[in-house]
Structures are given as C-alpha cells and as structure tokens.
Amino acid sequence: MSKPFADRIALVTGASRGIGAELALLLAQAGAHVVAVARTAGGLEELDDKIKAAGGSATLVPVDMKDADGIARLALALNERYGKLDVMVGNAGILGPLSPLDHVERKDFENSMAVNVTANWWLIRTMDALLKRSDAGRAVFITSGLSWLGRAYTGPYAAAKAALNMLVQTYAAESANTSVKVNAFSPGPTRTRMYAGGWPGVDPATLTPPEDVAKAIVPLC
C-alpha cells in the first residue's frame, strides 16, 4: 500500500469510535503518525490495536475537548516533539437534546456550544502555529446539514454547527495566503452511535457506514 502521508503528523479528535476512528485508521494506514484524541480511553486503546495491526503508529490522548488546559498542553507537546502539525481533523461533537427550544436546559445548550464550537475554536487557537510550520497543513472540521436545514427540535446542535460553519469559513479566509487549507465536511446521515441515539427508528442499513465517510475525508487531509 502506498504511504502518501509518510512523515505526516495527523491529529484527529473524537477518534475513539465512528467517523473519527475510521479516519484515524485510514490515515495511519497511509503512513501518518496519528494523534488520537477522545474522552474514552478504552475506545482509543481499541483503535491503537487496529492501527498497530495495520503497521501504523499512534499517540493516544485521552482528554475531554472541553479541557482547554489539556488541549493547550497537547499543543506544547506536539511542538516539542515534532515542531509541526500536518493534519488537524475537528471531528469530536455531541448531538445534545432533541427537544423544543423552550424545553432545552441551559446547561445542555451551553454544553453543545462548548463541544461543537468553542472546542474547535480552541483547537485553531492552539494548533494554528503548528499547522503553519507544515509545508501543506490541512484542517478539516465535521459539520452537519442540520446547520442550514432549520429542522424542528434540533436547535442546540443545529445552531452550534451553524456557528462552526462560520468559524471554519473565517479561518479558511484568514489562511488563504498561507500553506494551510481549511475545509468543513458534512457527512450526511451516517451509521454512528450518535445518529442512532437521535433517530433510533432509522434502519442502520440505509445509512452510510462511517468507513465510507472517512474515505471521502482523506483527500481533504
């Protein structure tokens, strides 16, 4: 198998399962050293086993994306060890409550914003300098069609992803004259635990498997 990502350092958040895990595995198979970030240590260990079996390498970082100090420490560690970052994928996200807006608890709304928006801004804030030290830095953020569809009961998630879209668009404009390319990717309905939790009545067989979504993201990396 060709190794187009040889000598590349790729950070993937939400890497313990679903799209993030599949993408991390593909990048490792293609030669990247993957920095896998997620809250669930067990899921990261399972991913590491798969990466090792495929002949790849990874660094596991069990940290909550809301832990700003933890992400900042990660950026410092990457700077000390590698001096750069070639790929950054902001995949971690939460669905939050599917409820009428006037029934949503404040803490749930703020949590959705913290994970889906603020954490990705903090990634940009802490990792941008490292991406700019790559000869071809790439940043990809996972968004959702719900951010522009205006569907009932999806308010916190849809509003957060809409804010993420503008954050990414702004970052792309600010990076236009650098070696960093920035994109948002909307996977559509995907066979993940998060989707099943929100729409349990949908037949999983009708949904795109996460490995197919991951394959579509790789070219953006």
Side-chain angles (χ1 to χ4, degrees), residues 92-133:
I94 59 169
L95 182 59
L98 294 178
S99 175
L101 285 170
D102 62 332
H103 286 70
V104 175
E105 297 288 342
R106 177 170 180 164
K107 62 180 178 58
D108 292 329
F109 188 89
E110 291 178 345
N111 194 45
S112 180
M113 290 293 174
V115 176
N116 295 317
V117 186
T118 306
N120 283 306
W121 161 73
W122 190 241
L123 273 183
I124 294 168
R125 176 71 177 82
T126 56
M127 303 293 174
D128 176 67
L130 292 171
L131 285 168
K132 285 177 178 170
R133 289 189 201 137

Side-chain angles (χ1 to χ4, degrees), residues 18 189-193 195 204-211:
T190 306
R191 195 184 305 160
T192 61
R193 184 184 302 181
Y195 192 93
T206 65
L207 302 175
T208 305
E211 54 266 31

Side-chain angles (χ1 to χ4, degrees), residues 143-162:
T143 185
S144 168
L146 290 173
S147 65
W148 59 81
L149 290 174
R151 296 270 173 86
Y153 314 124
T154 65
Y157 181 74
K161 288 298 187 179

Side-chain angles (χ1 to χ4, degrees), residues 10 16 60 73 95 109-110 137 145 163 176-177 203-204 215 218:
S16 62
L60 308 183
R73 286 193 297 270
L95 182 59
F109 188 89
E110 291 178 345
N177 295 321
D203 181 1
K215 289 175 184 176
V218 168

